[in-house]
Amino acid sequence: MTDLTKMKIAEARDALRAGDVTSVELTEACLSAIESADALGAFAHKTPEIARERAAAADARIKAGDAPDLCGIPLGIKDLFCTKGVPSQAASAILEGFKPEYESTVSQKLQDAGTVMLGKLNMDEFAMGSSNETSTYGNAVNPWRRGNDDAALTPGGSSGGSASAVAADLCLGATGTDTGGSIRQPAAFVGITGIKPTYGRCSRWGIVAFASSLDQAGPMTKDVRDAAIMLEAMCGHDPKDSTSADLPVPNFEAMLTGDVKGKTIGIPREYRMDGMPDEIEALWAEGRKMLEDAGAVMKDISLPHTKYALPAYYVIAPAEASSNLARYDGVRYGHRAKLAQGDGITEMYEKTRAEGFGAEVQRRVMVGTYVLSAGFYDAYYNRARKVRTLIKKDFEDVFAQGVDAILTPATPSAAFELGKEMTDPVEMYLNDVFTVTVNLAGLPGIAIPAGLDKSGLPLGLQLIGRPWEEGDLLNTACALEQAAGFVAKPTKWW
Amino acid sequence: MLDHLSFESPKPKVIAGAKHDWELVIGMEVHAQVASKAKLFSGASTQFGAEPNSNVSFVDAAMPGMLPVINEFCVEQAVRTGLGLKAEINLVSAFDRKNYFYPDLPQGYQISQLYHPIVGEGEVIVDMEPGIARRVRIERIHIEQDAGKSIHDMDPAMSFVDLNRTGVALMEIVSRPDIRGPEEAAAYVVKLRQILRYLGTCDGNMQNGNLRADVNVSVCRPGQYEKYQETQDFSHLGTRCEIKNMNSMRFIQMAIDYEARRQIGILESGGQIDQETRLYDPDKNETRSMRSKEEAHDYRYFPCPDLLPLEIEQAWVDDIKASLPELPDEKKARFVKDFGLSEYDADVLTADTANAEYFEKVVDACGDGKLAANWVINELFGRLKKEDHDITDSPVSPAQLAGIIALIKADEISGKIAKDLFEIVYTEGGDPAEIVEARGMKQVTDTGAIEAAVDEIIAANPDQVEKAKQNPKLAGWFVGQVMKATGGKANPKAVNELVAKKLNG
């Protein structure tokens, strides 16, 4: 039975169709895997009753015929998604006990497609972090370890629980969200596939907002095909989100031919960072070779404003966050601090937010408040917006030169040890160096596993695509995936 | 068609200080609730007087993950308002967040339009008296969300919040500092309210808070304002204070007057005015500073990332423009020109669309504008006011009033009888012509009968006849006696002629 959890979505779909397995069987297998994986800390809230109910319903639907592709597939849902009647806390103490009376558009679409929700996945608090260590639930753990070293490693962040759960075969796929790399970095750290679609592809309605102009949901799966299947079910126009694009959703899976002959792949020189480990450099070179061998044309390109992306991101994202998080004030829902005699509304705000928000969230709220404040707005926020425009233009220019996709490393290193980087926030922010440009430009980006480092940890490559061309991007990723032939799995220790 | 009648500017209000004269400079920010069934971004109802917290959606309550979606009708209303104020419409505008904490502001920010408002420069002609009006320039109109209501007096230890109003669409109509006195300020609000009501974009109900004004007041020495107007350089003007949230014309005037005198007092004793927001306390008739400098808000405005720039099409604006009703200035000018009304009468009749509509129906049916104006203003309005009736629930329909006027014009009844007839129609209803017929109220035009009555009066009053022969003005006494004898039904013209003839004969 344990083998069932190792299935990919496409395999499970076919097996469900063929009647070789039922959703109830798949779901039970996942639930028992989850039960024995508490050491991973991937699930913040388990929902076995809901899972069993939906699995049974899915089986009935499959039996009746005409069920959607994802019908009966057990998934994990990141805690950032509001799920009706189920705790949805964004891994924050300030949303302690919050059970929304509504379902996010993306999780509703997945539910409508017949998927089975196993539970809510751990993450960095309000999606602010790159190691899952800012979570109020405690960090999730990477199922991978360095050789025989049993030091606990980060699964990355903010979608660390999603990454850990998929890599450890606790679920067949998971939702993630990506504001600066929160899908792609953890996917790379645990050897799975994660795609952030074009900004506006997935509705943000019902997803707890971090930085509204950057946030996008996307799937985290065991391979590119699964990502294509799951992404198709997640995206589409939503009139409830004004930034959601009214564009048809293609059949992404049908576009996975693996044929990239004649495609032009850009290699941006600015992504070669000082002090970048040789292994990352080597992996990147291998990736180029693989795509070249597959018939694509490599082209050296320049994205000249890349070096300004990280500082611009760490102005824009906290600025939006400082405003988005103002609603957590203890007045209507979530945590409210106990007040002392004589305390007024100001004390209620201060105590509630001091108790409810963790250190990283508080830091970003303060940074964001500062960069928007009178006298600093032009120097920080407005300048960052201008930089953002330039970064976007960098990409437009290379796409206009005929570049179809851009190949970069996904992260500057393999997964690092938990507890090691928490002391220096700037060090932590550097994790996003290859991924934030994509969010600032609103482009689709995918991370796929491409090799192992010398200590046996997975390393990922990133492909960046043209806006709205996720299908083409997934196909390029598919070719790279086939060439890389990454099949390694973590050795179970949990 | 001319837009408005020619006018001259009023003199600015001058306040004599202890040392010298001062003039007032006033600019207004009027918050007008957009007449719309649904809120600006949430689709929840805007119905007034609903149970507390019943018109609240997840968006209004700022639940996690909720997003605003613009209400197209509210945008249309703002455009309509802009067109009504002869303003430029910005085809691209954008929303910004104004950040501050308050329990009745669930999001922790108000979505407004700081940097790119939907409406640009326009104007309002503020009538003061016939031939005198102030042209007040409009700087901009933007749309924004209203906040909810905090209630602090229901419990000694707790405050309560009602979010029904949260997210309701407001238009903030910002004037230039072109208003020069308390009366002008009140008249500006009256005129603006009139235009909004004509347009149907705001009901103008000040009691419910659907129209409220922030008043910016400064004082300057005579001559300074003219320098400002020449250069548009604010350094010629004094430092202003903003009096928040005024919702009564009377209080607006009292607050401005108090505030101007307060500022003059400070300036004349060598002090400086701090730019600040103040609240008017009508009980004490004074303004008070709302918050100290340390508490001054930094609103951290920035573009709202949940909303794309608002783009509208010129064709859509043109359609709205084509559907605009005739506005007060044009209507007034037409009434003066087409019906020969005085500007004063035209003003009264155009104060409200309902008044104007009623009047025009009467004119259409009776064909006499002046007579119709007379009867509507003097008889009908007077009578309605006595019983606190509104024109919309007038017991006398335009057709009935036109019927009465037609009877006067046809010499069927006298003016005096007409008033009696009006009273009957007002209290009992019925067709005026039928009432006149059935109750024998018709004017007597049979000269034989009138002559007999005249002869009778002359015969009975020889002394008066003698006096009248000396002094022809006394003929009126005979006319009155004849009218009395005929129960007011004799045609006054015929009586006059006969009396004159007999006395002189």
mmCIF file of all heavy atoms in Angstrom, chain B residues 480-503:
data_model
loop_
_atom_site.group_PDB
_atom_site.id
_atom_site.type_symbol
_atom_site.label_atom_id
_atom_site.label_comp_id
_atom_site.label_asym_id
_atom_site.label_seq_id
_atom_site.Cartn_x
_atom_site.Cartn_y
_atom_site.Cartn_z
ATOM 1 N N GLY B 480 -66.124 98.094 -4.796
ATOM 2 C CA GLY B 480 -66.101 97.125 -3.683
ATOM 3 C C GLY B 480 -67.500 96.762 -3.234
ATOM 4 O O GLY B 480 -67.806 95.589 -3.010
ATOM 5 N N GLN B 481 -68.385 97.763 -3.123
ATOM 6 C CA GLN B 481 -69.751 97.502 -2.698
ATOM 7 C C GLN B 481 -70.472 96.599 -3.697
ATOM 8 O O GLN B 481 -71.208 95.692 -3.298
ATOM 9 C CB GLN B 481 -70.516 98.830 -2.543
ATOM 10 C CG GLN B 481 -70.017 99.697 -1.390
ATOM 11 C CD GLN B 481 -70.104 98.997 -0.044
ATOM 12 O OE1 GLN B 481 -71.165 98.491 0.321
ATOM 13 N NE2 GLN B 481 -68.999 98.946 0.690
ATOM 14 N N VAL B 482 -70.256 96.879 -4.980
ATOM 15 C CA VAL B 482 -70.900 96.067 -6.013
ATOM 16 C C VAL B 482 -70.395 94.614 -5.929
ATOM 17 O O VAL B 482 -71.180 93.667 -5.988
ATOM 18 C CB VAL B 482 -70.648 96.656 -7.423
ATOM 19 C CG1 VAL B 482 -71.221 95.726 -8.501
ATOM 20 C CG2 VAL B 482 -71.278 98.043 -7.533
ATOM 21 N N MET B 483 -69.093 94.461 -5.773
ATOM 22 C CA MET B 483 -68.521 93.123 -5.684
ATOM 23 C C MET B 483 -69.104 92.372 -4.504
ATOM 24 O O MET B 483 -69.432 91.184 -4.587
ATOM 25 C CB MET B 483 -66.985 93.184 -5.539
ATOM 26 C CG MET B 483 -66.228 93.730 -6.743
ATOM 27 S SD MET B 483 -66.609 92.926 -8.300
ATOM 28 C CE MET B 483 -65.783 91.377 -8.089
ATOM 29 N N LYS B 484 -69.240 93.093 -3.401
ATOM 30 C CA LYS B 484 -69.811 92.496 -2.195
ATOM 31 C C LYS B 484 -71.248 92.039 -2.455
ATOM 32 O O LYS B 484 -71.631 90.915 -2.119
ATOM 33 C CB LYS B 484 -69.792 93.557 -1.086
ATOM 34 C CG LYS B 484 -69.780 92.978 0.320
ATOM 35 C CD LYS B 484 -69.524 94.124 1.298
ATOM 36 C CE LYS B 484 -69.720 93.710 2.731
ATOM 37 N NZ LYS B 484 -69.553 94.893 3.624
ATOM 38 N N ALA B 485 -71.996 92.927 -3.107
ATOM 39 C CA ALA B 485 -73.404 92.639 -3.363
ATOM 40 C C ALA B 485 -73.569 91.448 -4.312
ATOM 41 O O ALA B 485 -74.560 90.726 -4.244
ATOM 42 C CB ALA B 485 -74.090 93.877 -3.946
ATOM 43 N N THR B 486 -72.598 91.261 -5.187
ATOM 44 C CA THR B 486 -72.723 90.159 -6.148
ATOM 45 C C THR B 486 -71.965 88.921 -5.683
ATOM 46 O O THR B 486 -71.741 87.985 -6.458
ATOM 47 C CB THR B 486 -72.181 90.575 -7.539
ATOM 48 O OG1 THR B 486 -70.813 90.996 -7.373
ATOM 49 C CG2 THR B 486 -73.003 91.675 -8.149
ATOM 50 N N GLY B 487 -71.566 88.931 -4.455
ATOM 51 C CA GLY B 487 -70.853 87.755 -3.929
ATOM 52 C C GLY B 487 -69.527 87.545 -4.626
ATOM 53 O O GLY B 487 -69.057 86.420 -4.743
ATOM 54 N N GLY B 488 -68.929 88.638 -5.109
ATOM 55 C CA GLY B 488 -67.599 88.536 -5.726
ATOM 56 C C GLY B 488 -67.621 87.973 -7.121
ATOM 57 O O GLY B 488 -66.561 87.793 -7.719
ATOM 58 N N LYS B 489 -68.792 87.688 -7.629
ATOM 59 C CA LYS B 489 -68.842 87.019 -8.922
ATOM 60 C C LYS B 489 -68.892 87.979 -10.113
ATOM 61 O O LYS B 489 -68.730 87.569 -11.257
ATOM 62 C CB LYS B 489 -70.051 86.080 -8.984
ATOM 63 C CG LYS B 489 -69.808 84.818 -8.161
ATOM 64 C CD LYS B 489 -70.958 83.849 -8.265
ATOM 65 C CE LYS B 489 -72.168 84.352 -7.457
ATOM 66 N NZ LYS B 489 -73.287 83.392 -7.508
ATOM 67 N N ALA B 490 -69.160 89.263 -9.833
ATOM 68 C CA ALA B 490 -69.229 90.225 -10.943
ATOM 69 C C ALA B 490 -67.848 90.386 -11.546
ATOM 70 O O ALA B 490 -66.850 90.366 -10.836
ATOM 71 C CB ALA B 490 -69.709 91.576 -10.430
ATOM 72 N N ASN B 491 -67.807 90.527 -12.854
ATOM 73 C CA ASN B 491 -66.543 90.738 -13.535
ATOM 74 C C ASN B 491 -66.007 92.113 -13.135
ATOM 75 O O ASN B 491 -66.639 93.125 -13.419
ATOM 76 C CB ASN B 491 -66.785 90.679 -15.042
ATOM 77 C CG ASN B 491 -65.496 90.861 -15.824
ATOM 78 O OD1 ASN B 491 -64.577 91.545 -15.376
ATOM 79 N ND2 ASN B 491 -65.457 90.266 -16.999
ATOM 80 N N PRO B 492 -64.848 92.156 -12.454
ATOM 81 C CA PRO B 492 -64.362 93.436 -11.921
ATOM 82 C C PRO B 492 -64.168 94.482 -13.004
ATOM 83 O O PRO B 492 -64.391 95.666 -12.781
ATOM 84 C CB PRO B 492 -63.019 93.074 -11.289
ATOM 85 C CG PRO B 492 -63.017 91.600 -11.133
ATOM 86 C CD PRO B 492 -63.952 91.048 -12.140
ATOM 87 N N LYS B 493 -63.779 94.042 -14.181
ATOM 88 C CA LYS B 493 -63.549 94.996 -15.270
ATOM 89 C C LYS B 493 -64.855 95.684 -15.655
ATOM 90 O O LYS B 493 -64.924 96.916 -15.780
ATOM 91 C CB LYS B 493 -62.985 94.214 -16.479
ATOM 92 C CG LYS B 493 -62.148 95.074 -17.410
ATOM 93 C CD LYS B 493 -61.456 94.189 -18.471
ATOM 94 C CE LYS B 493 -61.473 94.898 -19.808
ATOM 95 N NZ LYS B 493 -61.745 93.984 -20.911
ATOM 96 N N ALA B 494 -65.906 94.876 -15.780
ATOM 97 C CA ALA B 494 -67.214 95.421 -16.150
ATOM 98 C C ALA B 494 -67.738 96.373 -15.067
ATOM 99 O O ALA B 494 -68.284 97.446 -15.358
ATOM 100 C CB ALA B 494 -68.206 94.284 -16.381
ATOM 101 N N VAL B 495 -67.528 95.974 -13.816
ATOM 102 C CA VAL B 495 -67.991 96.807 -12.702
ATOM 103 C C VAL B 495 -67.285 98.165 -12.739
ATOM 104 O O VAL B 495 -67.915 99.226 -12.629
ATOM 105 C CB VAL B 495 -67.744 96.117 -11.343
ATOM 106 C CG1 VAL B 495 -68.164 97.025 -10.180
ATOM 107 C CG2 VAL B 495 -68.524 94.799 -11.273
ATOM 108 N N ASN B 496 -65.950 98.127 -12.914
ATOM 109 C CA ASN B 496 -65.165 99.350 -12.971
ATOM 110 C C ASN B 496 -65.691 100.310 -14.038
ATOM 111 O O ASN B 496 -65.884 101.506 -13.791
ATOM 112 C CB ASN B 496 -63.701 99.019 -13.316
ATOM 113 C CG ASN B 496 -62.870 98.882 -12.044
ATOM 114 O OD1 ASN B 496 -62.984 99.722 -11.144
ATOM 115 N ND2 ASN B 496 -62.078 97.835 -11.979
ATOM 116 N N GLU B 497 -65.917 99.717 -15.204
ATOM 117 C CA GLU B 497 -66.363 100.548 -16.324
ATOM 118 C C GLU B 497 -67.733 101.182 -16.035
ATOM 119 O O GLU B 497 -67.928 102.382 -16.239
ATOM 120 C CB GLU B 497 -66.460 99.690 -17.597
ATOM 121 C CG GLU B 497 -65.086 99.484 -18.258
ATOM 122 C CD GLU B 497 -65.120 98.422 -19.359
ATOM 123 O OE1 GLU B 497 -66.252 98.026 -19.772
ATOM 124 O OE2 GLU B 497 -64.035 98.003 -19.785
ATOM 125 N N LEU B 498 -68.637 100.377 -15.518
ATOM 126 C CA LEU B 498 -69.994 100.870 -15.259
ATOM 127 C C LEU B 498 -70.025 101.932 -14.169
ATOM 128 O O LEU B 498 -70.698 102.947 -14.277
ATOM 129 C CB LEU B 498 -70.918 99.705 -14.894
ATOM 130 C CG LEU B 498 -71.423 98.917 -16.120
ATOM 131 C CD1 LEU B 498 -72.035 97.594 -15.695
ATOM 132 C CD2 LEU B 498 -72.466 99.753 -16.880
ATOM 133 N N VAL B 499 -69.242 101.668 -13.102
ATOM 134 C CA VAL B 499 -69.218 102.638 -11.990
ATOM 135 C C VAL B 499 -68.697 103.984 -12.508
ATOM 136 O O VAL B 499 -69.281 105.046 -12.240
ATOM 137 C CB VAL B 499 -68.327 102.127 -10.827
ATOM 138 C CG1 VAL B 499 -68.036 103.240 -9.820
ATOM 139 C CG2 VAL B 499 -69.026 100.969 -10.105
ATOM 140 N N ALA B 500 -67.604 103.925 -13.291
ATOM 141 C CA ALA B 500 -67.023 105.161 -13.806
ATOM 142 C C ALA B 500 -68.040 105.908 -14.677
ATOM 143 O O ALA B 500 -68.210 107.129 -14.571
ATOM 144 C CB ALA B 500 -65.762 104.826 -14.610
ATOM 145 N N LYS B 501 -68.712 105.096 -15.505
ATOM 146 C CA LYS B 501 -69.671 105.704 -16.432
ATOM 147 C C LYS B 501 -70.816 106.382 -15.672
ATOM 148 O O LYS B 501 -71.182 107.527 -15.924
ATOM 149 C CB LYS B 501 -70.214 104.597 -17.340
ATOM 150 C CG LYS B 501 -70.897 105.109 -18.616
ATOM 151 C CD LYS B 501 -71.244 103.934 -19.533
ATOM 152 C CE LYS B 501 -72.731 104.018 -19.878
ATOM 153 N NZ LYS B 501 -73.192 102.737 -20.436
ATOM 154 N N LYS B 502 -71.363 105.664 -14.674
ATOM 155 C CA LYS B 502 -72.534 106.193 -13.937
ATOM 156 C C LYS B 502 -72.157 107.410 -13.119
ATOM 157 O O LYS B 502 -72.905 108.364 -13.030
ATOM 158 C CB LYS B 502 -73.080 105.103 -12.992
ATOM 159 C CG LYS B 502 -73.582 103.872 -13.718
ATOM 160 C CD LYS B 502 -75.042 103.963 -14.083
ATOM 161 C CE LYS B 502 -75.436 102.735 -14.923
ATOM 162 N NZ LYS B 502 -76.819 102.848 -15.425
ATOM 163 N N LEU B 503 -70.993 107.373 -12.477
ATOM 164 C CA LEU B 503 -70.603 108.492 -11.623
ATOM 165 C C LEU B 503 -70.346 109.742 -12.466
ATOM 166 O O LEU B 503 -70.611 110.858 -12.027
ATOM 167 C CB LEU B 503 -69.325 108.148 -10.832
ATOM 168 C CG LEU B 503 -69.511 107.136 -9.683
ATOM 169 C CD1 LEU B 503 -68.155 106.803 -9.064
ATOM 170 C CD2 LEU B 503 -70.457 107.678 -8.608
#
